[in-house]
Amino acid sequence: MREIVVISGKGGAGKTSIAGAFAHLAEDTVLCDLDVDAPDLHLLLDPRHRVEHEFRSGNEAVIDPEMCIGCGQCAELCRFDAIAGPDDANPDSAYSVLPFRCEGCKVCVALCPAQAIAFPERHCGEWYVSDTRFGTMVHAQLFPGEENSGRLVTLLKREARAIAEERGLGLVLSDGAPGIGCPVISSLAGTDLAVLITEPTPSGMHDLMRVAELCEGFRTRVAVIINKWDINPTQADAIEAYCSGKGYPVVCRLPHDRAVTDAMVNRQVVTEYDRGQLSDTLKTAWTAILARLEAG
Ligand code: SF4
Ligand code: SF4
């Protein structure tokens, strides 16, 4: 069983549109959306949740108002100003934890003289196993402001692999997160091939270099797609020259094409919506990606 992840050094480069097209073209595949902070592959694939799970990670302090004696020690000790209590405006209010500020250090829990502070696991989001028209999809949604996205990515990858192995499917195809942060690092672990989406701008070049360097650190092979190459052919040439020097194959240059937006508006992937040159180019790119995967 092999794993391919589609990533980009920055958001807005067209990663999910291209990942959606590959989801359509791929066979015997489990799909996975690893962009857990801002998932959007579901907008194209319209998944029907078959299994739903809570994602819990880390801990947070919760004050039991029945047990609290109102001494105020917790508010004094908390370095993160995460405990609100009575003040001049609200002299009768009870002590309570502000969940978005609590860093889970447990100081207040340990030092409360009334043992009035519980420390439950934090409910950070939800994850799902769903049916789509292109096969099973594993995906998630972190709640706003929640952390531990890397751990959630690892969980999703493990689930997708287990489903692929159980059903004898040969590929896990993932839409990764943009950037080079924690979820991207987690998505690269154990991945056979990263498809790097870039666009012909100076920042596109810069972000491609950063994410390619990250892939090298993981010894993950890469293939590159230059999206909207025709908005700046000179910069597209510069990216291709950089890739050539590094030995990264550029599997295709995609033109700026309104069909990508029109497909999205119609809640289709571009290879479903467009029957012309754009789809043909993506099919050729997918064949090249599979060949690179097989090259080992
Ligand atoms: S330290 Fe405990 S008893 Fe004191 S205010 Fe905080 S929760 Fe209440
Ligand atoms: S666990 Fe730490 S951060 Fe959270 S409220 Fe208590 S002292 Fe503050």
Side-chain angles (χ1 to χ4, degrees):
M1 195 263 302
R2 302 296 189 86
E3 289 184 44
I4 295 176
V5 64
V6 182
I7 52 178
S8 58
K10 65 185 274 295
K15 173 179 62 62
T16 298
S17 296
I18 293 168
F22 291 159
H24 178 214
L25 300 173
E27 292 172 358
D28 298 333
T29 302
V30 176
L31 307 170
C32 200
D33 190 347
L34 300 179
D35 189 359
V36 295
D37 288 292
D40 50 9
L41 192 59
H42 64 282
L43 298 174
L44 296 174
L45 302 195
D46 196 21
R48 292 170 306 285
H49 297 175
R50 192 151 39 82
V51 186
E52 299 186 6
H53 299 272
E54 289 182 353
F55 173 61
R56 293 185 176 273
S57 185
N59 294 74
E60 65 184 341
V62 179
I63 294 174
D64 180 343
E66 301 293 321
M67 295 175 69
C68 174
I69 57 172
C71 69
Q73 273 198 50
C74 54
E76 277 174 36
L77 290 167
C78 178
R79 292 181 55 209
F80 302 97
D81 289 331
I83 296 181
D87 56 22
D88 291 346
N90 299 293
D92 297 325
S93 70
Y95 284 92
S96 64
V97 177
L98 306 169
F100 281 114
R101 288 199 184 169
C102 176
E103 292 285 329
C105 69
K106 211 180 175 181
V107 165
C108 61
V109 180
L111 298 177
C112 171
Q115 284 86 48
I117 308 179
F119 200 51
E121 262 197 322
R122 203 173 183 122
H123 183 194
C124 303
E126 309 278 346
W127 67 275
Y128 318 99
V129 178
S130 299
D131 295 321
T132 77
R133 60 194 183 283
F134 305 141
T136 297
M137 175 171 162
V138 183
H139 55 126
Q141 175 73 66
L142 267 185
F143 296 148
E146 294 295 351
E147 296 175 1
N148 287 315
S149 53
R151 203 176 143 201
L152 181 53
V153 165
T154 301
L155 186 158
L156 296 185
K157 278 169 67 86
R158 196 170 55 224
E159 182 68 18
R161 280 180 197 145
I163 293 170
E165 275 164 17
E166 184 188 306
R167 298 183 190 171
L169 301 174
L171 185 66
V172 172
L173 172 64
S174 299
D175 181 17
I180 56 168
C182 193
V184 180
I185 290 168
S186 297
S187 70
L188 285 175
T191 292
D192 298 285
L193 180 69
V195 180
L196 312 184
I197 313 300
T198 186
E199 57 185 13
T201 61
S203 68
M205 168 75 107
H206 172 261
D207 294 332
L208 171 67
M209 292 163 112
R210 288 196 318 164
V211 77
E213 199 177 310
L214 187 65
C215 292
E216 280 189 10
F218 277 86
R219 298 205 168 94
T220 304
R221 279 171 295 141
V222 305
V224 177
I225 292 178
I226 306 174
N227 196 19
K228 304 177 205 159
W229 73 270
D230 47 348
I231 62 172
N232 189 340
T234 306
Q235 188 70 47
D237 288 345
I239 288 175
E240 193 137 359
Y242 160 75
C243 291
S244 169
K246 287 287 195 174
Y248 306 148
V250 176
V251 291
C252 78
R253 290 181 174 208
L254 291 173
H256 185 44
D257 194 317
R258 192 187 158 83
V260 176
T261 308
D262 290 343
M264 244 183 273
V265 171
N266 284 279
R267 301 195 71 169
Q268 291 184 311
V269 301
V270 68
T271 43
E272 289 177 294
Y273 182 82
D274 174 82
R275 305 282 173 198
Q277 183 65 40
L278 186 61
S279 279
D280 290 344
T281 307
L282 280 162
K283 285 174 191 164
T284 304
W286 181 242
T287 303
I289 287 165
L290 291 181
R292 177 137 173 85
L293 190 65
E294 290 310 316

